[in-house]
Each structure stands twice: as structure tokens, then as C-alpha cells.
Amino acid sequence: MAEEGYKERGFFLDPISQVRKKPTKRKEVGGFFSKPTAAVSGFHILHISLEKVDIVVDVLVTNPNPIPIPLVDIIYLIESDDHKLISGTIRDAGTVRAHGSETIKIPICLIYKDVKDTYDDIQPGEIITYRVSVELLIDVPIIGRVSLPLEKKVETPAPYKPDVDLDKIEYDRFSLEETTASLHLKVENKNKFDLGVNTLEYNFTLGDDNIANATLRESTKIGQCGEGILEVPITFRPKDLGSAVWDIIRGRGEGYSMKGKLEVDTPFGPMNIPFSKEGGKEQVKERSRN
């Protein structure tokens, strides 16, 4: 009787009932593995220049299974208005740990020349919308190869080089020993996004003589398709310069040249923009401060 009571409570297991339960257990094994999931978790612009933009797409892959899952291939495609721009495949992209998640980084480089060659109507300075399509191929035990398709829309610019020109020179103090002045540089932003000028590196030459060579740190915001003025102080010793400089200051002579670099902030990240400009004598005449 005691034994029967134990059987009723499950303390003793019937071997026959155990055999009958084996097929059910095999069915549970077949459904033991689950399909991994994936989502685009981030988009980053690593570097932007006048020639190209380097971006990274972050894909978060989650593995709910008790064993690591290998990523076989990652196939990506960049399109805009149904025009294919770039595609590629990343082989053997790694492994997603058991009951865990991994962020897979997909590096992509967009060359502006290729974009412009594809689109006749794209103008420099525009913001372009892209469609990023990603397909992850994963090998899951028992289930087999699984495809995880993803898609995300992103925006990057096709930057236009700002035009830097000398608007005027204003002299604060003029003498043979030391002359101080200010260069008023006009910066024209032809882009459809704002530019925040942080640093200006410049070399200013009158005739064949180098007048100033320095770095100026000044924060100036220039709105989209707008203009701004950078006031750059310079100091030089006229007596140490050639006669050509005096001709230029008097409004005669060949003129000036500028070379340098702007460091700017954009909504898409920082940029270094080189510039060079040559001008005639009429732009470097002395002008008094008001």
C-alpha cells in the first residue's frame, strides 16, 4: 500500500511510461533552438571630407540559444532613389555567444565622385538620403541557415568647398618698425547645412613676401548658403620687406595670395577644408577703421 501511495505521488517511475515519453522528448529537442534576431542599433559617420565619407552601421544580433551561433556572411547594399551605389559581402563575420548579443560593425565608404557620376541632378552641398540594406546569414543547428534582412535610411552630405576671399585690410597702426592690421576674410558657405568655424590656419603673402603665418582659433557660425567674416589680426615689419610690398600697399603691384585650412563643425561631424586664393591689387588698399 505504501508503495502504491509513493507511485501515486511520483516517487517511483514506471519504466514503461518513461519509454513512451521518449518520442515526446525528441520533439522538444527539435524545437529547442530559436531563430536569432537582429536590428540596426546605430549609424556613425567616422570621417567626412570633400572627397568621401566613412560610415559604420551597427547591427545588434541576439542569440537566444544555449550554444554560440556563427555568422556566415553579411551582405550589404547602399541605394538612393533606386540607384545602386555600393555593395559588398563580409565573410566570416564572427560568432554570437550563447544567450547573448553582439554588435556587428559594418564599415562603408562612400566616394562623392561615384555618387555624382550616378546622379546627374545632384549638386555639391546637398544632403543625400540613402537606403542601407543588410542581410545577415547565420547557421543555426537543426534549423539550418537563417537569413535576417534589415533596412535603414540614413543621410550624409555631398560637401561643397567654401570660398574664402579677402574682403579688405584694415590697418590699426602703420610704421616702418611694426605694422598691425586685420585681414577681413569673407567665407561663403555654399552647403545646405551650417558650418561652425573653429580654427583657421593661414599663410598670407604680399607679392613675394610672406606677411603672416599663424593659427587662429575663433568660433564663427556660418548658416547654410550664407556668408560670414573672419577677422584675422596680423603684425609685420615693412622695413624688412621688399619694395613690391610698398607698391601693393599703395594700390599698385601684383596683389596677394592666401593658403590655409579651415577646421569646421557640421551636423555630420568635423571637417578639415583646405583653401587657396590669389587676388589683385584693388583688394589690399589701406582702409581706415570707422
Side-chain angles (χ1 to χ4, degrees), residues 116-151:
K116 294 172 186 176
D117 290 344
T118 304
Y119 298 94
D120 296 333
D121 56 342
I122 284 187
Q123 299 298 320
E126 290 189 355
I127 298 175
I128 307 172
T129 300
Y130 302 95
R131 183 165 62 92
V132 181
S133 301
V134 178
E135 182 183 10
L136 283 77
L137 300 179
I138 302 176
D139 269 342
V140 181
I142 299 178
I143 295 177
R145 182 160 294 192
V146 174
S147 173
L148 301 177
L150 304 169
E151 187 176 296

Side-chain angles (χ1 to χ4, degrees), residues 55-264:
I55 63 178
V56 169
V57 178
D58 292 339
V59 177
L60 181 66
V61 184
T62 301
N63 175 20
N65 299 293
I67 63 172
I69 300 296
L71 286 170
V72 181
D73 290 329
I74 297 178
I75 303 170
Y76 61 88
L77 170 66
I78 310 293
E79 295 178 296
S80 184
D81 293 335
D82 295 326
H83 291 277
K84 175 182 174 181
L85 296 175
I86 188 173
S87 62
T89 300
I90 301 175
R91 307 287 184 186
D92 300 324
T95 302
V96 185
R97 68 183 184 274
H99 294 304
S101 298
E102 298 289 343
T103 297
I104 310 301
K105 297 185 178 294
I106 305 175
I108 299 171
C109 179
L110 288 170
I111 308 296
Y112 296 128
K113 183 180 182 302
D114 297 338
V115 177
K116 294 172 186 176
D117 290 344
T118 304
Y119 298 94
D120 296 333
D121 56 342
I122 284 187
Q123 299 298 320
E126 290 189 355
I127 298 175
I128 307 172
T129 300
Y130 302 95
R131 183 165 62 92
V132 181
S133 301
V134 178
E135 182 183 10
L136 283 77
L137 300 179
I138 302 176
D139 269 342
V140 181
I142 299 178
I143 295 177
R145 182 160 294 192
V146 174
S147 173
L148 301 177
L150 304 169
E151 187 176 296
K152 184 176 179 63
K153 287 188 176 181
V154 299
E155 288 185 339
T156 67
Y160 194 100
K161 185 177 181 179
D163 185 45
V164 181
D165 203 353
L166 178 62
D167 183 56
K168 62 181 178 180
I169 298 179
E170 289 186 336
Y171 294 98
D172 298 312
R173 185 165 61 89
F174 193 91
S175 72
L176 290 175
E177 293 296 328
E178 184 178 80
T179 293
T180 59
S182 293
L183 305 177
H184 288 239
L185 305 182
K186 181 174 69 174
V187 181
E188 183 180 2
N189 177 19
K190 300 181 180 181
N191 296 284
K192 293 184 178 179
F193 51 87
D194 297 345
L195 294 180
V197 179
N198 295 322
T199 304
L200 167 69
E201 295 181 8
Y202 66 94
N203 178 274
F204 184 71
T205 301
L206 289 177
D208 296 326
D209 294 296
N210 184 27
I211 301 298
N213 187 2
T215 298
L216 174 69
R217 301 192 180 278
E218 178 179 335
S219 297
T220 301
K221 181 179 179 180
I222 305 175
Q224 56 177 316
C225 301
E227 294 181 354
I229 297 293
L230 299 179
E231 189 170 339
V232 181
I234 62 171
T235 300
F236 61 97
R237 295 164 58 88
K239 71 174 187 177
D240 296 336
L241 305 176
S243 60
V245 172
W246 292 101
D247 292 336
I248 294 169
I249 291 175
R250 296 186 184 100
R252 302 187 299 270
E254 296 180 356
Y256 71 93
S257 66
M258 287 190 305
K259 292 182 179 180
K261 179 179 69 174
L262 291 172
E263 294 182 6
V264 302

